[in-house]
Amino acid sequence: MFKGSYPALVTPFTNGELDLETLKKLVEWHIGEGTNGFVPVGTTGESPTLTHTEHEAVVEEVVRAAAGRVPVIAGAGSNNTLESIRLAQHAEKVGASAILVVTPYYNKPTQRGLIAHFTAVHDCCNLPIIIYNIPARSIVDMTPETMGELARLPRIVGVKDATADLARVSQQRAACGKEFIQLSGEDATALGFNAHGGQGCISVTANVAPRLCAEFQAATLAGDFAKALDYQDRLMPLHEAIFVEPGLVGAKYAMSRLGLCGEEVRLPLTGLNDSTKTQIDAALRHAGLLS
């Protein structure tokens, strides 16, 4: 159900406020560029600095704008299980296709705590759940064994894996079954991820280069890894440049250079250093996106 290129959608701001008109335009542009689906209000969507009301408004707007043409996997993660339940139930109410639930950050739960958290969210609604495992941010790593236990629940259907450990794909296939959906959360290693059995990527770079990312994913899923490698060579400098500083800041700057949205972010994030901007500009030219 969920495969290919899914941008971890940025949240546009104008003068500190949500810019929902630009958000709607981005959804239309992405669909025209071949994007396979959307993941709003994840980390790249600046969920940590959105109010609950803003979070819900973004999900509702993306679902409405997508209008069933592509799936919308709504961010519904929190380190507070009750808050995650609230976000999950809202996503279901407004018509999201699925939810993305991050491993609870800062609390450092045990594997038993992870099972309890995800089971509670699973039981609160009828949406499919994609686990988001990103130990570099959450400081907790869901083991393949724990994931395998959760995969027995009928609506826990996949993982966004941001460990950058390609062996995990095979380990999770063994623990969770071959039908368990594995999506990369790390652009630079998405080629190897799919070669190991992954089915797509929830991508930061796809905010900037959706057509290239969608065509890259299509090549890997067709087994044409020679063609995919050509795309990888074209995109790799952009993957790297976007993440010189926090990735969503890099993505918004690159998008601003392409006339897609402003580069405004919320504190504690700040705009890019000039040297980073120069590197992103060069990467955009290398990818053929900027003359």
Side-chain angles (χ1 to χ4, degrees):
M1 183 178 181
F2 307 113
K3 63 181 181 179
S5 179
Y6 279 66
L9 203 60
V10 300
T11 300
F13 299 124
T14 299
N15 298 322
E17 301 296 326
L18 293 183
D19 185 347
L20 296 180
E21 286 302 312
T22 295
L23 182 64
K24 288 190 287 186
K25 291 176 184 177
L26 287 176
V27 169
E28 288 299 323
W29 175 70
H30 272 287
I31 291 175
E33 291 290 295
T35 281
N36 300 114
F38 296 105
V39 183
V41 288
T43 308
T44 305
E46 295 182 71
S47 59
T49 54
L50 297 182
T51 67
H52 289 163
T53 300
E54 289 173 329
H55 183 118
E56 292 171 355
V58 170
V59 171
E60 190 165 358
E61 197 61 64
V62 173
V63 170
R64 184 184 296 117
R69 291 173 289 175
V70 296
V72 176
I73 305 173
S78 175
N79 66 336
N80 178 337
T81 304
L82 293 176
E83 182 174 304
S84 196
I85 286 170
R86 169 189 165 164
L87 296 174
Q89 290 174 336
H90 175 266
E92 182 176 33
K93 177 182 175 182
V94 301
S97 310
I99 52 175
L100 181 71
V101 180
V102 71
T103 50
Y105 41 87
Y106 192 77
N107 298 334
K108 297 180 72 174
T110 62
Q111 298 298 305
R112 184 163 51 89
L114 291 176
I115 290 169
H117 174 82
F118 279 90
T119 300
V121 178
H122 171 274
D123 291 347
C124 84
C125 71
N126 294 305
L127 289 178
I129 294 172
I130 305 292
I131 296 164
Y132 184 13
N133 193 30
I134 181 165
R137 285 186 182 271
S138 67
I139 320 298
V140 61
D141 184 6
M142 182 182 289
T143 67
E145 293 75 21
T146 295
M147 199 172 294
E149 185 167 341
L150 286 169
R152 296 174 188 164
L153 297 173
R155 290 183 299 283
I156 294 188
V157 300
V159 61
K160 175 186 177 182
D161 186 304
T163 64
D165 179 0
L166 295 181
R168 284 294 182 95
V169 190
S170 296
Q171 292 164 355
Q172 287 157 186
R173 276 168 66 85
C176 303
K178 295 179 181 179
E179 299 305 312
F180 193 72
I181 300 163
Q182 297 200 60
L183 304 172
S184 173
E186 213 267 323
D187 279 298
T189 57
L191 176 60
F193 190 95
N194 281 9
H196 277 251
Q199 291 101 349
C201 184
I202 297 176
S203 165
V204 177
T205 302
N207 280 287
V208 181
R211 184 172 297 278
L212 292 177
C213 289
E215 290 174 353
F216 163 77
Q217 282 294 326
T220 67
L221 295 175
D224 190 346
F225 287 97
K227 182 178 181 180
L229 188 57
D230 287 339
Y231 281 105
Q232 177 81 350
D233 290 343
R234 189 171 169 185
L235 286 166
M236 191 65 188
L238 191 56
H239 296 329
E240 292 179 324
I242 284 173
F243 280 94
V244 169
E245 296 183 47
L248 74 91
V249 187
K252 277 189 168 180
Y253 170 76
M255 294 170 77
S256 76
R257 294 288 283 132
L258 301 177
L260 297 168
C261 72
E263 57 184 292
E264 183 177 340
V265 295
R266 282 185 173 170
L267 291 171
L269 299 177
T270 58
L272 299 179
N273 290 320
D274 287 344
S275 60
T276 306
K277 291 180 179 181
T278 298
Q279 189 170 341
I280 291 174
D281 287 348
L284 288 169
R285 287 190 289 270
H286 179 85
L289 299 172
L290 194 67
S291 58

